[in-house]
Amino acid sequence: MPPKPSTLTASMIADLQSHGIRLADPKAGVASRRGGAGPSDHKAMTIDGITVMVPVHTATAFDSPFKASAPAADGSVEVTCDGRSVGTLSFPPRPRFYDLQTADGVPYSHIATLHGRDVLATTILQTCIRYQSRTKTCQFCAIGQSLAAGRTVAHKTPAQLAEVAKAAVALDGVRHMVMTTGTPNATDRGAAVLCDSAAAVKAAVALPIQGQCEPPNDDVWFTRMRDAGIDTLGMHLEVVTPALRQRIMPGKASVPIERYMTAFEAAVPVFGRGQVSTYILAGLGDTRETLLDISARLIALGVYPFIVPFVPISGTPLEDHPSPDPVFMASVLQPLAQMLRDGGLAAESVKAGCARCGACSALSTFEKLLPVREAA
């Protein structure tokens, strides 16, 4: 069992994810991504045995008081804050499957990428019905940027995904996979393409999979996704105050929160308690009380609320919006960790996906800091 993280570790993770970090050697570690579906403009870093995603390409990161030295001979990196040493970190190695390409010449890294330390992630459809419309697009979204830059392909086929997943498991010990997608229509909202892709991957390799999409119009899709090989489901609220949803994500807000709630209620019996999650961006205007209130409703349904600090992505309408203060994040994540414990949910019990990975938030670290329960 890995050692329990310290409160200093949790504080350092929260600080780095809020402020970002300047790199003495931008090429160190796994190549970072600009644009695309998140996490973008980040780099994976390991702190006290915990791998997290830290902003490196944002305006906040460029002005960050934190700086990472070039890696030493043993791979360790010194972290300073305003010139004062505050700790060390390391970078996960570049995955070996990045060196391969498909028979028709598409680099594997254009099909799927490594997130955190051991998660394979892909955006199956790199387009979205909302993205091209200024009146509908989510203002934090950069799904089209990596496609425009030629770093990915618009539609990853089931065969391509299966080929890359098999290689990532064999060469790099990948343990689970995240499949997300731009929303292709207003009916199944991506569930159908997730089914086709998951079935192909599961036929090639035994890999736990999380599928992510907006709530489909018919709850029968939850059973279809499970039967196709999807182990956990993510349906992401992102913002929870109705007026904020309408302003920040006007197209997605056409699917009301109450539809998400009925979808969660229908999906949990299919996938199991704790195997349905939602991604919520803290720092866009939802208050602490609002975030904890919605979390209480979600946990009661058996849904894991994965709350992460908002990180602005260059080239989006919200590129200059600040990330939340680490004190604010701690004021949300610390009580949320206890709420999850009381509700019988835990990141380490999730079979696959963002909550299992935990790299985009300090939430799982706060869970590990909770006092160990004494046996009854």
Side-chain angles (χ1 to χ4, degrees), residues 61-83:
F62 294 150
D63 292 329
S64 174
F66 293 96
K67 183 176 181 179
S69 70
D74 63 356
S76 64
V77 174
E78 181 185 17
V79 180
T80 59
C81 182
D82 291 326

Side-chain angles (χ1 to χ4, degrees), residues 184-209:
N185 56 53
T187 51
D188 69 76
R189 298 194 172 98
V193 73
L194 287 171
C195 286
D196 293 341
S197 302
V201 169
K202 278 294 176 69
V205 63
L207 187 64
I209 297 171

Side-chain angles (χ1 to χ4, degrees), residues 22 151 170 184 271 276 357:
R22 293 176 289 134
R151 295 191 300 268
F271 292 95
V276 178
C357 171

Side-chain angles (χ1 to χ4, degrees), residues 165-181:
K166 187 175 181 179
V169 171
L171 296 176
D172 298 288
V174 161
R175 296 185 178 183
H176 55 116
M177 184 173 187
V178 175
M179 292 181 177
T180 190
T181 180

Side-chain angles (χ1 to χ4, degrees), residues 3 41 63 65 80 102 104 165 215 236 246 263 272 281 303 330 356 370:
D41 294 8
D63 292 329
T80 59
T102 63
D104 51 353
H236 299 338
Q246 187 62 48
L281 299 168
V303 175
R356 163 80 180 275
L370 292 172

Side-chain angles (χ1 to χ4, degrees), residues 2-363:
K4 190 171 184 178
S6 66
T7 53
L8 181 62
T9 299
S11 175
M12 186 173 175
I13 291 172
D15 283 346
L16 287 172
Q17 290 188 323
S18 290
H19 294 292
I21 193 168
R22 293 176 289 134
L23 302 175
D25 181 5
K27 295 182 179 180
V30 181
S32 52
R33 300 167 57 243
R34 292 176 183 262
S40 298
D41 294 8
H42 290 61
K43 188 181 281 284
M45 304 178 187
T46 301
I47 303 167
D48 199 15
I50 299 170
T51 300
V52 295
M53 302 300 289
V54 178
V56 295
H57 295 308
T58 63
T60 302
F62 294 150
D63 292 329
S64 174
F66 293 96
K67 183 176 181 179
S69 70
D74 63 356
S76 64
V77 174
E78 181 185 17
V79 180
T80 59
C81 182
D82 291 326
R84 178 176 55 88
S85 180
V86 294
T88 60
L89 55 78
S90 61
F91 295 111
R94 183 179 186 275
R96 288 184 285 176
F97 79 86
Y98 277 18
D99 295 329
L100 305 179
Q101 60 183 28
T102 63
D104 51 353
V106 179
Y108 276 15
S109 60
H110 288 199
I111 306 298
T113 57
L114 188 73
H115 283 198
R117 182 181 66 255
D118 57 8
V119 188
L120 185 66
T122 186
T123 303
I124 301 171
L125 300 177
Q126 203 78 31
T127 57
C128 178
I129 58 173
R130 313 196 193 288
Y131 188 71
Q132 299 302 328
S133 170
R134 291 187 178 182
T135 62
K136 295 180 181 179
T137 187
C138 297
Q139 293 185 25
F140 48 75
C141 182
I143 192 173
Q145 288 186 12
S146 54
L147 180 61
R151 295 191 300 268
T152 188
V153 295
H155 183 184
K156 290 81 171 176
T157 68
Q160 287 174 329
L161 292 168
E163 180 180 344
V164 175
K166 187 175 181 179
V169 171
L171 296 176
D172 298 288
V174 161
R175 296 185 178 183
H176 55 116
M177 184 173 187
V178 175
M179 292 181 177
T180 190
T181 180
T183 301
N185 56 53
T187 51
D188 69 76
R189 298 194 172 98
V193 73
L194 287 171
C195 286
D196 293 341
S197 302
V201 169
K202 278 294 176 69
V205 63
L207 187 64
I209 297 171
Q210 179 177 63
Q212 299 178 353
C213 63
E214 296 181 40
N217 63 336
D218 192 329
D219 291 345
V220 71
W221 280 107
F222 300 136
T223 300
R224 291 172 181 169
M225 285 191 279
R226 180 202 62 194
D227 292 348
I230 291 174
D231 300 280
T232 72
L233 177 66
M235 294 185 289
H236 299 338
L237 286 166
E238 275 132 353
V239 181
V240 298
T241 301
L244 285 172
R245 287 175 64 82
Q246 187 62 48
R247 177 168 60 84
I248 294 174
M249 36 195 281
K252 193 169 181 179
S254 65
V255 183
I257 287 180
E258 286 312 312
R259 169 54 191 147
Y260 275 81
M261 289 300 178
T262 59
F264 290 139
E265 192 171 7
V268 169
V270 175
F271 292 95
R273 280 186 60 83
Q275 305 307 322
V276 178
S277 63
T278 190
Y279 203 96
I280 299 175
L281 299 168
L284 288 175
D286 289 317
T287 66
R288 173 184 182 273
E289 291 72 26
T290 298
L291 293 171
L292 292 176
D293 285 349
I294 195 80
S295 295
R297 290 182 62 189
L298 292 163
I299 292 169
L301 291 173
V303 175
Y304 187 105
F306 187 54
I307 297 184
V308 308
F310 168 72
V311 175
I313 299 176
S314 300
T316 66
L318 291 180
E319 65 179 356
D320 294 324
H321 193 288
S323 295
D325 184 276
V327 174
F328 173 79
M329 288 307 304
S331 77
V332 173
L333 299 182
Q334 193 163 22
L336 177 56
Q338 186 63 56
M339 291 165 61
L340 287 164
R341 163 79 67 84
D342 294 342
L345 305 183
E348 64 182 14
S349 299
V350 180
K351 297 175 184 177
C354 292
R356 163 80 180 275
C357 171
C360 290
S361 173
L363 179 54

